[in-house]
Amino acid sequence: MPRIAIVGRPNVGKSSLFNWLAGERLSIVDPTAGVTRDRLTHLMHEGGRYFELIDTGGIGIVDSDALEEEIEGQIRVGLEMADVLLFVGDAQTGVLPLDREVAKRLHPLGKPLVIAANKCDSPKMESDAAEFLELFDAPLLATTVKGNRGRDALLSTLVQALPPAGEGEASGGAELAADPVMKLAVVGRRNVGKSTFLNALAGEERVIVSEVAGTTRDSIDLRFEVDGRSLVAIDTPGVRRKKSLANDVEYYGTVRAQQSIRRADVVLMTFDATRTISKVDKQLVADIVEAHKPCIFVVNKWDLALEKEMTSERWAEYLEKTFANMRYVPVAFLTSQAGRNVRPVVDLAQSLFKQARERVGTGKLNTVIRAAIEKNPPPMRKNRRPKIFFATQVAVTPPTIVLKCNDPGLLGDDWKRYLLTQMRDRLPFPEIPIRLYFRPRGNEEEPTPGRR
C-alpha cells in the first residue's frame, strides 16, 4: 500500500488530525507534548484508493523519559516508508523556529508534500495560514478538527498526491480491509516485555523498547501473517495501580488496555518471571474474566528465571494458586528478547481461537451434562432437589450454553464449577471460558438431557 506520513513539530495536533482523518479514536490526544512515541498506522480507503496513514511523534521533542533517540528512530522509519508527507502546522501560533527546522529536514527527501494549517478556528486564522507557504511550495489547506472543517478537501488533495495505483493495490487493500483471522492482545503491567514480544513477532523494531517503564502509551495494532493467514497483534500500554497514575496520558493508556482486551479474540496476559504477581496483574486478569476472553498466561524473561533456578512447574503452581478459577488457562514460558518460544505462543493462541468458535450439537451436549449429573448430582437446597432438564449452545466466542432447570437458585457455585470442569473435559472447549446461563423451564415441552 502507498503510505502517507503525518509529520511536524510537537503539539501541533498531528494525533487529533490522524484520528479525524481515520474517523476513529486511535491515537491518544493530550495537551502534553510528546504523547505519541511509536508509529501508529491505519488503513484508509478514499477516492477509490487504498493507502496507509501513519501518525509519527513530534520532530524535535525533548522527551520526559529521555527517549528522544528511540522516538527519532520511529520517525525516521515513518519518513522513509512514506510516499507522501502531510506537514502539520499550528495556525494559532504561526510558523515557529522548530517548524523551519522540520522543513529543512523534509526538503532533502524530495517527496510529494501537502501542508495542513491546523487549528484554523476562525476566518482570520485561515488568511494568516498562508505564512506556512514560506516553508514549502506545496498545496496548503486550512483545517480545524474542533470545528470539523476541511477534512474532505484535505483527503482529496492527499489522494491526488499519491503515486499511481499499483497493479495489486485494489485487491490487496480489500484483503487488508477485511477482518483479520484473529486479534491478539498483549497485556500486562509495565516493563514485562510486551513490546519486545511484538517486535520479535514482527521481525523488526516496530515499537519502542526501553528499560523505562511505561514507554508504550497507546494501543498499537500490528498486522502480520502466519501460514498465509492475516492476524493482528495489539501492543497495549503497561498498566499501573490507579493511585499511581501520574497524569491523564497514563489514565488513557490504562483505558486503552482495557478496550484492547474487549476487542481481542485471544489475550496474552504477560508476567515477568523475575517478579511476583501484583494487584495490577490480578485486576487485568479480572478484566479478562469479565470479558470472557480466551487467555494464555505468558511468563516472559524466562532466561532470567532459569538463572535463579526457577522451574516451570513451580511457576505454573504459583499461577494456579493465585488464579484458582482459571486453572484451564494454558501457560507459556518464553524469552522475547531472544525470540525464544514466540511462534509456539501464536500457534497456541490460534488453537484457543478455534476452540472459541466451536459449536456442539444438542445431543452430545446433553449427554455430557447427564453424565455429569449422574456422577455428582447437585445437592439439595431448601429441601428441594435441583433438576436440569435440557441444555443448548446458543452462541460462540465465547461458547454460550443455556441450561433449563426447575429453579436456578438451587444450584450452588461449587456445583456450577464442577459442571464447567466436566464440560471442559468432554467438550471441545478445554482451555477457554464457557458462559453458562441457568434459566427456569417454561411451559414448553423439552426433552431430558441425552434424549435429543
Side-chain angles (χ1 to χ4, degrees):
M1 292 298 102
R3 298 178 174 97
I4 298 174
I6 303 174
V7 297
R9 63 176 175 83
N11 222 18
V12 292
K14 296 186 299 299
S15 293
S16 295
L17 204 69
F18 176 76
N19 291 343
W20 187 50
L21 293 176
E24 298 181 43
R25 288 190 175 185
L26 301 170
S27 183
I28 290 178
V29 177
D30 190 85
T32 306
V35 170
T36 301
R37 287 172 167 173
D38 296 290
R39 280 176 289 129
L40 300 180
T41 63
H42 182 71
L43 182 69
M44 302 283 292
H45 186 208
E46 293 288 338
R49 297 294 303 275
Y50 284 98
F51 58 92
E52 193 173 62
L53 194 64
I54 304 172
D55 185 21
T56 64
I59 296 176
I61 183 64
V62 177
D63 186 71
S64 59
D65 294 321
L67 294 172
E68 291 92 349
E69 185 176 340
E70 290 84 354
I71 297 170
E72 168 59 28
Q74 293 290 310
I75 295 170
R76 183 171 59 252
V77 173
L79 294 178
E80 290 171 355
M81 294 172 62
D83 298 283
V84 177
L85 303 176
L86 174 56
F87 172 83
V88 182
D90 185 337
Q92 295 181 2
T93 64
V95 176
L96 297 182
L98 189 50
D99 291 309
R100 293 189 174 88
E101 291 300 316
V102 173
K104 287 179 183 178
R105 176 169 177 182
L106 300 183
H107 279 300
L109 299 177
K111 296 189 175 186
L113 185 140
V114 175
I115 305 169
N118 199 25
K119 306 182 186 180
C120 278
D121 299 330
S122 70
K124 182 181 183 304
M125 287 183 185
E126 289 189 23
S127 61
D128 292 343
E131 69 174 300
F132 285 100
L133 291 172
E134 72 176 73
L135 302 178
F136 305 97
D137 180 14
L140 169 68
L141 293 101
T143 61
T144 167
V145 175
K146 185 178 178 181
N148 194 28
R149 292 196 306 275
R151 180 180 182 274
D152 291 344
L154 178 58
L155 281 172
S156 176
T157 304
L158 290 170
V159 169
Q160 290 174 22
L162 289 172
E167 207 172 279
E169 181 183 298
S171 58
E175 187 177 332
L176 286 172
D179 286 337
V181 175
M182 178 177 68
K183 290 189 179 75
L184 191 65
V186 186
V187 304
R189 59 176 159 165
R190 302 179 3 147
N191 221 21
V192 295
K194 300 183 298 297
S195 295
T196 306
F197 172 82
L198 266 297
N199 285 339
L201 197 58
E204 62 170 320
E205 290 298 315
R206 183 58 186 81
V207 287
I208 293 173
V209 175
S210 169
E211 292 301 318
V212 176
T215 299
T216 300
R217 287 172 164 174
D218 232 323
S219 292
I220 301 167
D221 287 11
L222 304 177
R223 185 180 289 265
F224 62 100
E225 284 195 359
V226 173
D227 298 331
R229 290 180 291 181
S230 180
L231 310 177
V232 165
I234 309 167
D235 188 18
T236 62
V239 177
R240 302 176 72 185
R241 295 176 63 182
K242 287 184 178 179
K243 69 177 184 180
S244 301
L245 297 180
N247 50 44
D248 286 346
V249 174
E250 290 191 355
Y251 169 74
Y252 296 146
T254 300
V255 172
R256 290 296 174 88
Q258 293 168 339
Q259 291 174 341
S260 296
I261 290 172
R262 289 195 292 270
R263 69 188 181 96
D265 297 305
V266 179
V267 180
L268 302 187
M269 177 62 211
T270 311
F271 302 91
D272 184 333
T274 65
R275 298 160 70 187
T276 57
I277 294 171
S278 69
K279 289 184 178 179
V280 170
D281 295 321
K282 293 176 182 177
Q283 182 56 57
L284 282 168
V285 170
D287 292 338
I288 295 168
V289 171
E290 184 179 356
H292 287 86
K293 295 296 181 180
C295 173
I296 301 173
F297 287 154
V298 175
V299 184
N300 196 18
K301 306 183 183 180
W302 190 238
D303 57 329
L304 301 180
L306 290 175
E307 292 176 3
K308 298 180 180 180
E309 300 183 350
M310 175 58 70
T311 65
S312 57
E313 291 78 12
R314 284 168 59 194
W315 241 101
E317 289 172 6
Y318 179 37
L319 286 167
E320 185 174 317
K321 182 178 178 180
T322 307
F323 306 109
N325 62 332
M326 297 186 74
R327 292 176 179 171
Y328 60 88
V329 173
V331 182
F333 300 88
L334 57 84
T335 303
S336 295
Q337 196 166 31
R340 194 173 300 133
N341 211 28
V342 170
R343 175 60 187 273
V345 171
V346 177
D347 294 339
L348 179 56
Q350 289 178 316
S351 172
L352 301 192
F353 180 61
K354 182 179 179 182
Q355 290 180 39
R357 297 167 66 87
E358 291 280 0
R359 189 176 288 274
V360 176
T362 302
K364 180 178 179 180
L365 177 61
N366 283 279
T367 298
V368 169
I369 291 173
R370 182 179 63 179
I373 294 172
E374 290 175 353
K375 182 178 178 181
N376 179 23
M380 292 185 64
R381 296 184 70 181
K382 303 176 184 178
N383 293 322
R384 296 178 63 194
R385 171 73 66 184
K387 294 181 180 179
I388 296 176
F389 302 110
F390 178 73
T392 184
Q393 184 176 349
V394 297
V396 295
T397 60
T400 304
I401 296 169
V402 174
L403 300 98
K404 293 295 183 73
C405 50
N406 58 341
D407 184 352
L410 298 177
L411 293 164
D413 290 339
D414 288 345
W415 193 85
K416 289 178 182 178
R417 283 192 288 270
Y418 157 77
L419 180 61
L420 275 171
T421 300
Q422 293 297 305
M423 293 170 73
R424 286 201 180 88
D425 287 345
R426 300 190 59 186
L427 296 175
F429 317 125
E431 299 167 308
I432 62 170
I434 303 171
R435 182 182 278 157
L436 297 183
Y437 290 108
F438 294 87
R439 298 283 184 261
R441 187 173 71 169
N443 295 324
E444 70 276 11
E445 285 294 323
E446 292 170 342
T448 54
R451 294 187 182 176
R452 172 171 160 181

